[in-house]
Amino acid sequence: MIYYVPAQGLYYPEEARLPDKSSEREQQTPPTGSLRLELQPGLVPQVYVDGYYVGTLDDVNAELPFDVGPHRLELRADGYESLELDVQIFPDRSTTYRGTLKFVEPVSVPAPDIPAPTQVSPRPPATIYFIPGCYLGDVPPKDAGLPAGCDPSRAITFEN
């Protein structure tokens, strides 16, 4: 059997057609803008937006997309003071922030006094006794007061 499809496509009655959702999807997407960060060369801080880690400055290629509105930005780098910014993002606009993170002088911490190791005498070897389903301990089974039915001749020993 052969089917032919007309060039203009198949005919569907109006009630069978699905509504076009593309315009609804466009309306559901919140408007966005971006923030470009320009900091001192060689510094690659961690970037936090509204309290959430988003990556390093290199990870985000120095430009962050944002939903429109106010946001809290924090930049952290080892050896530098954290930089916190409150930013306002506008629709379809890119804002550039140029700044530097302040270097923090390392604080020298004195090494704690560590006492010299003391000599500890080695522990005498210990024997562990095991009777399957009955006993496990370091007291010989004959001296352990085993319950009735526990056969001391089945004891397995482990030397430590």
Side-chain angles (χ1 to χ4, degrees), residues 108-116:
S108 63
V109 177
D113 290 334
I114 300 174

Side-chain angles (χ1 to χ4, degrees), residues 1-157:
M1 186 177 283
I2 299 174
Y3 293 96
Y4 293 96
V5 178
Q8 69 272 12
L10 297 174
Y11 168 75
Y12 292 102
E14 281 297 318
E15 59 272 0
R17 292 186 187 167
L18 295 174
D20 180 18
K21 301 239 182 210
S22 63
S23 62
E24 288 179 28
R25 269 186 249 118
E26 290 172 7
Q27 291 173 355
Q28 291 175 354
T29 304
T32 60
S34 64
L35 176 67
R36 179 154 190 76
L37 299 168
E38 294 181 5
L39 302 174
Q40 63 258 48
L43 185 63
V44 184
Q46 296 175 334
V47 180
Y48 292 80
V49 175
D50 298 329
Y52 295 97
Y53 176 73
V54 296
T56 66
L57 195 60
D58 284 348
D59 293 339
V60 297
N61 202 20
E63 187 153 350
L64 297 159
F66 282 94
D67 289 339
V68 169
H71 295 278
R72 180 91 170 153
L73 183 75
E74 184 177 358
L75 304 172
R76 299 179 192 170
D78 289 337
Y80 293 85
E81 283 184 20
S82 291
L83 177 64
E84 295 180 12
L85 306 168
D86 289 315
V87 296
Q88 180 69 35
I89 302 300
F90 297 97
D92 302 320
R93 285 185 44 198
S94 179
T95 304
T96 300
Y97 173 81
R98 290 179 185 91
T100 58
L101 272 68
K102 293 180 184 174
F103 181 73
V104 176
E105 290 293 329
V107 177
S108 63
V109 177
D113 290 334
I114 300 174
T118 56
Q119 291 293 339
V120 177
S121 58
R123 267 186 29 194
T127 302
I128 302 295
Y129 302 92
F130 174 63
I131 301 173
C134 179
Y135 177 74
L136 175 67
D138 61 352
V139 175
K142 65 181 179 72
D143 300 331
L146 298 175
C150 191
D151 183 6
S153 66
R154 293 180 47 215
I156 301 169
T157 60

